[in-house]
């Protein structure tokens, strides 16, 4: 038995590992879309821009249970989109860890977009214009100028989204339930332990782990955000 298992117990260790796995996938899959959406909101002017901004931030203000319900009626196995994904790609989301990643990614997406958007707003467009006058393509400008200047903000957004995914509860439990070893993440495990008399110490240990991850993520995000805005304090 490892030190981690001795401290958290088998169920707590499984929940922590699943949370990290789900959060990593949620962050990685959300990042390309967040970059694109942030670029649209900062550098493009189009009809529906404000509507897109509202939709991006909607998960922050909606009750998480509502978000989970919307995911269930959209991506459930009997829902049109969910049935299509299962029939064509063999991908099942409802009551699977893949669905937990989708729910966690959706809840952390606004935080990621906001951090990336702030980083992009601090990139001087004149640098990109100068590169364009020298014959650089848009893709090369984005890869060699824009992205490197945005990189601390991108990392800050990814870390925040990861931390949010680790702590996500309402949308996840509504969409994928609380199945030990399959969909039970850290918050779900804490909730389940609190329903069992005598399991409060085990729940408290999971709370400590969750707090440690959250604090580390916030500190890392703050450091990287300051690096992306050298003039700020």
């Amino acid at each position: 038995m490892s030190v981690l298992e001795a401290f958290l117990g088998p169920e707590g260790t499984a929940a922590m590992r699943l949370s990290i796995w789900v959060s990593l996938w949620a962050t990685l899959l959300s990042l390309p879309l967040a970059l694109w959406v942030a670029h649209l909101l900062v550098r493009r002017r189009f009809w529906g821009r404000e509507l897109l901004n509202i939709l991006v931030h909607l998960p922050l203000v909606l009750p998480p249970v509502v978000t989970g319900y919307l995911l269930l009626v959209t991506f459930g196995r009997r829902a049109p989109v969910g049935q299509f994904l299962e029939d064509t790609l063999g991908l099942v989301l409802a009551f699977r860890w893949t669905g937990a990643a989708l729910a966690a990614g959706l809840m952390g997406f606004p935080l990621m977009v906001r951090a990336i958007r702030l980083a992009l707003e601090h990139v001087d467009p004149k640098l990109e214009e100068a590169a364009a006058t020298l014959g650089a393509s848009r893709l090369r400008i984005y890869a060699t100028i824009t992205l490197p200047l945005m990189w601390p903000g991108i990392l800050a957004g990814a870390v925040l989204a990861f931390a949010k995914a680790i702590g996500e509860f309402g949308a996840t439990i509504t969409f994928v339930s609380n199945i030990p070893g399959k969909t039970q993440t850290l918050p779900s495990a804490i909730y389940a332990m609190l329903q069992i008399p005598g399991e409060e110490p085990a729940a408290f240990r999971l709370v400590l782990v969750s707090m440690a991850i959250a604090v580390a993520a916030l500190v890392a995000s703050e450091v990287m955000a300051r690096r992306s805005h050298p003039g700020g304090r």
Side-chain angles (χ1 to χ4, degrees):
M1 180 180 292
S2 66
V3 176
L4 186 63
E5 288 182 344
F7 180 65
L8 296 179
E11 185 176 340
T13 303
M16 191 194 73
R17 288 174 176 168
L18 181 62
S19 290
I20 293 174
W21 178 253
V22 164
S23 301
L24 282 173
W25 275 105
T27 304
L28 291 175
L29 294 178
S30 299
L31 187 55
L33 181 59
L35 283 168
W36 180 60
V37 170
H39 183 80
L40 288 178
L41 293 175
V42 175
R43 295 294 175 82
R44 294 288 183 267
R45 295 294 180 269
F46 56 92
W47 183 90
R49 179 173 172 271
E50 291 304 320
L51 177 61
L52 175 62
N53 188 44
I54 291 172
L55 290 175
V56 166
H57 291 88
L58 198 57
L60 289 180
V61 295
L62 276 179
V65 174
V66 173
T67 302
Y69 172 77
L70 294 175
L71 288 173
L72 189 60
V73 300
T74 304
F75 295 100
R77 300 188 71 167
R78 295 184 180 181
V81 177
Q83 190 171 6
F84 172 79
L85 291 175
E86 184 175 1
D87 294 341
T88 57
L89 302 177
L91 178 62
V92 178
L93 296 173
F95 307 107
R96 302 284 179 89
W97 75 265
T98 49
L102 175 62
L106 182 62
M107 296 301 293
F109 189 72
L111 300 176
M112 186 184 295
V113 170
R114 182 168 181 79
I116 295 174
R117 181 178 177 180
L118 290 173
L120 182 56
E121 287 174 347
H122 283 78
V123 176
D124 189 352
K126 293 181 180 179
L127 297 175
E128 299 167 322
E129 293 170 2
T133 60
L134 296 175
S137 65
R138 289 186 178 181
L139 181 60
R140 186 174 181 182
I141 292 171
Y142 192 76
T144 60
I145 296 177
T146 311
L147 272 182
L149 292 174
M150 291 170 56
W151 193 241
I154 294 172
L155 288 178
V159 170
L160 279 177
F162 178 84
K164 177 63 176 175
I166 285 281
E168 173 49 37
F169 174 70
T172 302
I173 200 170
T174 305
F175 185 37
V176 300
S177 189
N178 185 13
I179 306 171
K182 293 185 177 181
T183 65
Q184 188 178 75
T185 57
L186 274 174
S188 301
I190 293 170
Y191 175 79
M193 289 176 179
L194 290 176
Q195 310 308 307
I196 304 173
E199 288 295 315
E200 290 84 359
F204 180 70
R205 288 191 290 270
L206 289 182
V207 169
L208 291 178
V209 171
S210 300
M211 291 177 63
I213 294 174
V215 170
L218 287 174
V219 171
S221 177
E222 182 66 20
V223 170
M224 287 180 282
R226 289 184 179 181
R227 288 183 180 178
S228 65
H229 308 143
R233 293 186 177 181

